Amino acid sequence: MFTPSDPSCAPSPFDHAKADVILRSSDDVDFRVFKLFLSLASPFFETLFDLPQPSEEMNTDVEIKDGLPVIPVSEDSKTLDPLLRFCYPCTLSDDPALEDFRDVISVLEAAKKYSLDAIERTVCKSLFNPKILEANSMRCFAIACRARMQDECALAARHSLRESLVPTWFEEIELITSSELLSLLSYHKKCSDAVLVLKDDLSWITAEYPQWNVAPWMVAMYSGGGCCGCPQSTSGRFTLHGYNSAQWWEAFMDSTFLDLRDKPCAETVRQNVEKAIRTALQRNCYYCSPAIPGGMREFGTFFTNKVEELLSQVELGFKF
């Protein structure tokens, strides 16, 4: 008789009638699996299944269901399902798509527990899809270091540039050595230095905008040759083709380079571009306002490409 406390059955392919063992998750879901697939993937399971298996005729504490031994495991079904799918051949189950950081970590810990070495590396690679990596770059870096995954370390380090130079504590920091953390911080500093050279030499801008009237809003002018009414800077820090820049554009450049010192990445530029557009439009300049949104976003794309180009030349600085 079925009761609410009876274990439920896992979905296909873990409901096969010819399976020869049942793994029961901690939340009472029964996975009917084939010993052969698990034994080939894991020496842990190979050893376990080599032991004499109980039967209904034997007087043991092992539960028998439908003639199959039931082996309880500590993982819940949300973790066990993708773990077992990684063990199965692709003709029966595709590798699962893991898109949540905690899900990846749970499956990764289970893969380590059951000595699924090849699967462990495959699961690690799941950390490096953009959705997970952008939100957990430091944690992904630590896990990649522990797994000695060179390319993934470099990718996580690049994404970590979105975070401050001195990171806050995170659980996985204990997985890395002090030298690996120092290398990451040094990489961050080298990236900051690399992009800040753009502030000292504006030839990258004048080469792209060879005449002031290509982007007159940068220098508070209109294309006819007069001042548009927006205040021009008097500091002389950002002079383009002999003209002082608009005050709002100078403020944009100052704040962007200040932020790039702490977070040297393209996203920093993009965020500051949007802020600058909102600031400039508040002046409601008759000449500039129609041109600034499109012009600034075009300049922002050019700026981010220069940042990415410089960052690509900086290496992480350690190899396994």
Side-chain angles (χ1 to χ4, degrees):
M1 179 178 177
F2 181 83
T3 67
S5 61
D6 286 340
S8 58
C9 296
S12 177
F14 308 121
D15 56 355
H16 203 288
K18 293 185 178 181
D20 48 11
V21 69
I22 295 173
L23 299 185
R24 180 169 293 165
S25 65
S26 60
D27 54 346
D28 284 334
V29 178
D30 284 349
F31 291 77
R32 301 172 64 96
V33 295
F34 291 91
K35 296 177 185 177
L36 175 62
F37 296 153
L38 273 59
S39 296
L40 291 174
S42 161
F44 175 93
F45 284 118
E46 182 180 22
T47 301
L48 177 65
F49 297 144
D50 278 345
L51 298 175
Q53 299 297 302
S55 64
E56 290 180 314
E57 292 76 21
M58 298 174 63
N59 185 18
T60 69
D61 293 332
V62 177
E63 180 182 346
I64 303 296
K65 179 179 179 179
D66 300 332
L68 304 180
V70 177
I71 301 176
V73 297
S74 59
E75 290 73 28
D76 62 18
S77 58
K78 189 177 181 181
T79 300
L80 193 58
D81 185 286
L83 181 73
L84 295 175
R85 289 181 189 277
F86 279 119
C87 297
Y88 266 48
C90 61
T91 53
L92 294 178
S93 177
D94 293 333
D95 284 351
L98 300 174
E99 298 183 348
D100 180 81
F101 181 80
R102 287 313 317 170
D103 291 344
V104 176
I105 295 303
S106 296
V107 176
L108 186 60
E109 290 173 349
K112 291 179 180 179
K113 172 182 173 181
Y114 296 116
S115 302
L116 296 162
D117 296 339
I119 292 172
E120 182 181 338
R121 292 186 67 82
T122 301
V123 175
C124 270
K125 290 182 180 295
S126 298
L127 291 169
F128 297 91
N129 76 57
K131 181 179 178 180
I132 293 178
L133 189 55
E134 289 175 8
N136 303 277
S137 59
M138 297 294 292
R139 305 175 80 177
C140 292
F141 174 80
I143 293 169
C145 282
R146 181 65 172 266
R148 296 296 186 259
M149 300 169 70
Q150 185 72 44
D151 292 343
E152 285 74 13
C153 278
L155 183 60
R158 181 69 173 267
H159 276 74
S160 74
L161 298 176
R162 295 168 175 241
E163 302 184 31
S164 297
L165 176 60
V166 180
T168 57
W169 185 89
F170 55 97
E171 184 177 352
E172 290 78 12
I173 197 171
E174 297 176 1
L175 298 178
I176 59 177
T177 66
S178 56
S179 61
E180 289 166 346
L181 179 58
L182 181 59
S183 293
L184 179 63
L185 298 179
S186 298
Y187 169 75
H188 197 296
K189 179 63 166 60
K190 287 188 289 185
C191 287
S192 295
D193 293 341
V195 299
L196 288 176
V197 301
L198 296 174
K199 183 178 182 179
D200 300 325
D201 181 1
L202 300 184
S203 60
W204 59 281
I205 299 178
T206 54
E208 183 71 11
Y209 296 84
Q211 297 178 326
W212 68 266
N213 57 4
V214 175
W217 42 268
M218 281 189 187
V219 292
M221 304 276 283
Y222 61 89
S223 56
C227 293
C228 69
C230 293
Q232 285 184 318
S233 168
T234 58
S235 71
R237 289 200 304 277
F238 298 102
T239 302
L240 303 172
H241 302 294
Y243 293 93
N244 288 329
S245 66
Q247 279 187 1
W248 68 264
W249 194 81
E250 179 183 82
F252 154 72
M253 294 292 280
D254 282 338
S255 64
T256 300
F257 282 113
L258 182 63
D259 291 344
L260 284 171
R261 186 181 299 277
D262 190 45
K263 298 179 180 179
C265 63
E267 184 60 27
T268 296
V269 177
R270 284 190 283 265
Q271 291 176 358
N272 277 277
V273 165
E274 295 304 317
K275 290 178 186 177
I277 291 173
R278 292 193 294 271
T279 299
L281 291 182
Q282 287 175 357
R283 298 195 59 81
N284 199 28
C285 176
Y286 176 80
Y287 295 102
C288 290
S289 292
I292 284 174
M296 272 298 289
R297 291 191 178 104
E298 182 179 335
F299 175 73
T301 299
F302 169 60
F303 197 167
T304 58
N305 288 341
K306 295 298 293 185
V307 168
E308 294 282 8
E309 177 186 332
L310 292 170
L311 293 177
S312 68
Q313 300 170 18
V314 182
E315 295 186 355
L316 182 55
F318 75 86
K319 296 184 182 297
F320 300 116

